Amino acid sequence: MEQRMRRATRGRVAALATVGLLLAAGFGAGAAPVQAADTNLVVNGGFEDGLANWFVNNGNASDGAQLSATSDAYAGANAALVTSRTTTGSGPMQDLSGKVQAGQAYTLTARIKYENANGPATKQFFATMHYGGGTYTNLVSVTATKGQWAQFNGTFTIPATQTVSTARLFFETPWTATPSTDPDLHLMDFTLDDVSVVGAAPPAPASKTIEVVGKLPGEHNPLIGHKFGADGFGLVHDGRVYMYMTNDTQGYAPNPATGVSPGINYGDINQITVISSADLVNWTDHGEIQVAGPNGVAPFTANSWAPGITKKMVNGVEKFFLYYANGGGSSNVITGASPLGPWTSERTSTLIDGRTPGAENVAWKFDPAPFVDDDGQPYLYFGGGPASTSMPPAERFNNPKNIRAIELDDTMVATQGTAAVVDAPVAFEAGHVFKRQGKYYLSYSSHFGGNDFGGSQQPLPGYPGGGQIGYLISDNPMSWPKETYAGVLFPNQSQFFGAGTGGNNHQSVFEFEGRHYFTYHAPTLNKRINGNTTQGYRSPHIQELAFNPDGTIQQVVGTYAGVNQVRDFDPYRVFEAETFGWSKGVATTKVDGGSAQFGGAAPNLAVRDIDNGDWTALSSVNFGDNGARSVTAKVRALAAGGQIQVRLGSATGPVVGTAAVDTPVGQWAEVTAELAGVSGVHDVYFTYTGPAGVDLFEIDTWAFQAATLELPVTLTASARCVGGRVYVAVQARNDHGAPVGIALETAYGERSFAAVAPGANAYQSFNTRAVSVPAGSATVRVTGAIGGQDVTTVRTVQHPAGTCGG
């Protein structure tokens, strides 16, 4: 096995490993034992589905090539042709992350051919694995003769110590630093076919479902209890708050026996989690945006941390711009048609990096936070990390000058001008700006000292301590001298949530319906899962922000209580089942089709991993005075015998309705529970029962149906003779507590009464002008109001036959 580190200079250090590769014949190696239950881990290795699952290696910025399907195949209809290579490593690649395991052996086979007229008579090719960063390992090699198909055929073992969170297989020619000096020798076109990597399939991934109640009923922090999310950034749009977060759940893998996960690995995170709410307590899970990585919206980036989002009209079209950190070295932006996408990349390289004017001395060019001023001018705030070593130690500690402000151009996907220094005291990261009453506020997270910040130093009086949120107030969004420092906005969260919840923080501020709210994160859900131990998995929190008369901010107190629910939940509509005030033991997953609540272009999720005893709940649901008559759920049965119970007040509260999930297994269908005694405002719990040890069903949507409003009325009808003719008499008594309008309708005439008092009657005797009439009916229409709502009640009453004379 040959393992190399590709550095920024594009150099490699080559060494033969003492464990690993058993090469094919020609390399003089024997065969490794074949594992039981071997599986081909490569998808579309014969390219019969075109280039599906394949892409050009993009591990370095200089890599590049054109990949196309060709009928010049070793077998079948298609192969892959790679042309216009810019580096020796520019070849076809497939992501095997999550498929291969450290310490396991695999057999690799493939066919390769080159036919370049000016190329050498023979050429060596490598099958290589990129394990992330600068770690590349040659797996199997073959020397091909020009114009002839050659076969890779060898077995490799991944070292037990190798990290495989990233594992990307690609095909290349031997590395050289300057291949363009002889492209016929180093950058020839070649064709690839019939690729396979055979070995034991990885074990099923550990369940990420959080089985404990991490958000306690009655509490509003953390915002969600079924997954994690950090660095929350709030966006208000169309009556909802959307929260964008680093997807801490991506690396969560609790041990099935202990329930404890390994510590968080930020290098694995390339997704952004989105939730939204109209009341700040019941939050809808919109799933994850695959931002970075080979299959991401911006595949030229590897990570997506610390998102920031804003919206702006561009060329008459409202667009949404989601900024994120591509690790510590750069930041980028993707563009959405709505807060939920769909998302596209208007860039082919990162927005903020070493080329950004004014950012040269910023160690970490991350944590991008956008702000659009009232005049439409957009800005971006970014940066953090160790202070420049050229500064005196005390200055490195107190004024590290590691955050920047820069203008964006009108497209929102490019900067303009030079970044300005934000001289925030004891700054570490997470700069964020909002505006209130003509003043600009910049909040940020403070550092913890140490060698990166001048060694053993003390903060100046009034400056933040470690891991606190400080803030500045300025009259200019590009001017942030140290004199604008205003104090500590939020102490370290461990002051409020105790052992295991410390560390740095990340915040944003948004205004919603006239109030300002402060977002932050704390590993509170992680702590409740494991007691007082945490592994770095963070959860979103919100507290209301209050201001003093002089515009300074009252220091925020972190609480589990969180914020007040700003409005009752409206149940009389179709809404997503993955909307939770609280939950126990469930997870969510994306399903086919668009969202019934948010539209066909929005992702659709369903509640999954529902076991006997699990539940979900909604806070403060307003059923009105007349109440609800039923609730309908769209479900997919996974086992027979499942039931949904509707309870009020708690997971053990009274059952007011039950729906049997007796629909065909594996098919989406609707089930309905008739409800009794459900009116007014209640916390509503959906509790799930059924056979133990199996997933019962999945739920896509809920919809409550209101009880029919009816005005009370007592009706009578009769037939009698007057003057030899039959008269039909109809009477309606108003049993309502307020005046109503009553209209009496028969086949023999109509009569209306504008305001019939409570207890009074509307009466009319209709002349049929006949000596004999058959039995029939009269229609009575009653109009009035119930609870401020206009109501019309239509009733019928039968009258007997009538005969006069004889």
Side-chain angles (χ1 to χ4, degrees), residues 534-574:
T534 61
Q535 294 77 46
Y537 297 94
R538 303 157 296 176
S539 292
H541 287 227
I542 293 178
Q543 308 289 164
E544 189 171 344
L545 207 58
F547 296 83
N548 296 311
D550 63 355
T552 57
I553 301 173
Q554 296 178 17
Q555 195 168 104
V556 174
V557 174
T559 67
Y560 282 108
V563 299
N564 293 327
Q565 187 167 335
V566 300
R567 62 174 50 82
D568 292 333
F569 189 86
D570 174 17
Y572 297 125
R573 58 202 167 97
V574 176

Side-chain angles (χ1 to χ4, degrees), residues 103-187:
Q104 296 293 315
Y106 300 91
T107 299
L108 183 148
T109 61
R111 301 282 181 168
I112 200 161
K113 182 177 71 169
Y114 73 102
E115 295 183 301
N116 305 64
N118 297 323
T122 61
K123 183 65 179 178
Q124 187 181 31
F125 290 86
F126 282 108
T128 301
M129 194 79 84
H130 181 200
Y131 290 113
T135 304
Y136 294 75
T137 302
N138 296 144
L139 305 177
V140 179
S141 177
V142 68
T143 298
T145 300
K146 182 164 59 176
Q148 299 180 21
W149 285 100
Q151 183 180 20
F152 290 94
N153 188 7
T155 301
F156 64 93
T157 298
I158 299 177
T161 57
Q162 176 64 60
T163 299
V164 292
S165 57
T166 297
R168 309 198 304 167
L169 172 71
F170 69 100
F171 294 82
E172 62 173 343
T173 50
W175 180 84
T176 182
T178 56
S180 59
T181 60
D182 193 347
D184 291 327
L185 178 62
H186 300 298
L187 299 177

Side-chain angles (χ1 to χ4, degrees), residues 312-620:
K312 191 175 186 295
M313 296 293 292
V314 178
N315 296 325
V317 178
E318 185 175 54
K319 300 170 75 172
F320 296 80
F321 300 90
L322 181 57
Y323 301 82
Y324 63 95
N326 177 36
S330 61
S331 294
N332 196 48
V333 59
I334 58 175
T335 306
S338 80
L340 300 177
W343 301 96
T344 59
S345 177
E346 297 182 30
R347 297 187 58 87
T348 57
S349 62
T350 50
L351 171 66
I352 300 292
D353 52 34
R355 300 166 296 180
T356 304
E360 297 83 359
N361 294 326
V362 176
W364 297 343
K365 300 172 179 65
F366 72 168
D367 288 2
F371 166 71
V372 178
D373 208 348
D374 300 335
D375 61 2
Q377 174 60 51
Y379 302 88
L380 192 70
Y381 303 86
F382 67 92
S388 172
T389 57
S390 64
M391 296 160 54
E395 186 179 3
R396 291 177 67 193
F397 187 97
N398 285 290
N399 298 95
K401 299 178 178 62
N402 51 4
I403 296 176
R404 296 290 184 271
I406 196 167
E407 290 187 356
L408 296 169
D409 70 11
D410 289 339
T411 70
M412 301 291 288
V413 298
T415 62
Q416 61 183 12
T418 300
V421 172
V422 175
D423 194 2
V426 198
F428 189 37
E429 58 187 14
H432 169 79
V433 168
F434 70 97
K435 189 176 184 180
R436 176 184 179 268
Q437 295 183 358
K439 297 289 188 180
Y440 301 91
Y441 294 73
L442 186 148
S443 58
Y444 63 96
S445 181
S446 62
H447 67 70
F448 294 88
N451 291 336
D452 285 339
F453 294 94
S456 179
Q457 302 290 327
Q458 292 295 320
L460 293 173
Y463 275 18
Q468 298 185 338
I469 304 299
Y471 74 106
L472 300 83
I473 304 176
S474 176
D475 295 321
N476 185 331
M478 288 291 289
S479 177
W480 302 97
K482 61 186 178 182
E483 290 76 17
T484 61
Y485 175 69
V488 172
L489 161 59
F490 185 62
N492 187 267
Q493 62 274 11
S494 61
Q495 176 175 324
F496 309 111
F497 303 109
T501 64
N504 56 314
N505 214 317
H506 195 112
Q507 76 298 328
S508 77
V509 174
F510 63 87
E511 185 179 359
F512 185 53
E513 299 186 355
R515 296 178 182 269
H516 285 81
Y517 295 91
F518 171 75
T519 75
Y520 62 102
H521 63 231
T524 45
L525 176 59
N526 193 181
K527 181 174 180 176
R528 279 177 167 165
I529 293 170
N530 301 137
N532 279 334
T533 65
T534 61
Q535 294 77 46
Y537 297 94
R538 303 157 296 176
S539 292
H541 287 227
I542 293 178
Q543 308 289 164
E544 189 171 344
L545 207 58
F547 296 83
N548 296 311
D550 63 355
T552 57
I553 301 173
Q554 296 178 17
Q555 195 168 104
V556 174
V557 174
T559 67
Y560 282 108
V563 299
N564 293 327
Q565 187 167 335
V566 300
R567 62 174 50 82
D568 292 333
F569 189 86
D570 174 17
Y572 297 125
R573 58 202 167 97
V574 176
F575 60 92
E576 297 298 335
E578 59 276 9
T579 302
F580 307 140
W582 307 281
S583 63
K584 175 187 178 295
V586 301
T588 58
T589 187
K590 285 188 177 179
V591 293
D592 292 340
S595 166
Q597 180 179 353
F598 296 92
N604 187 32
L605 273 69
V607 182
R608 59 171 289 272
D609 205 2
I610 298 173
D611 305 315
N612 181 55
D614 291 342
W615 51 264
T616 59
L618 296 167
S619 174
S620 296

Side-chain angles (χ1 to χ4, degrees), residues 203-217:
S207 172
K208 295 178 183 288
T209 301
I210 297 169
E211 299 293 346
V212 305
V213 181
K215 179 184 181 183
L216 302 183

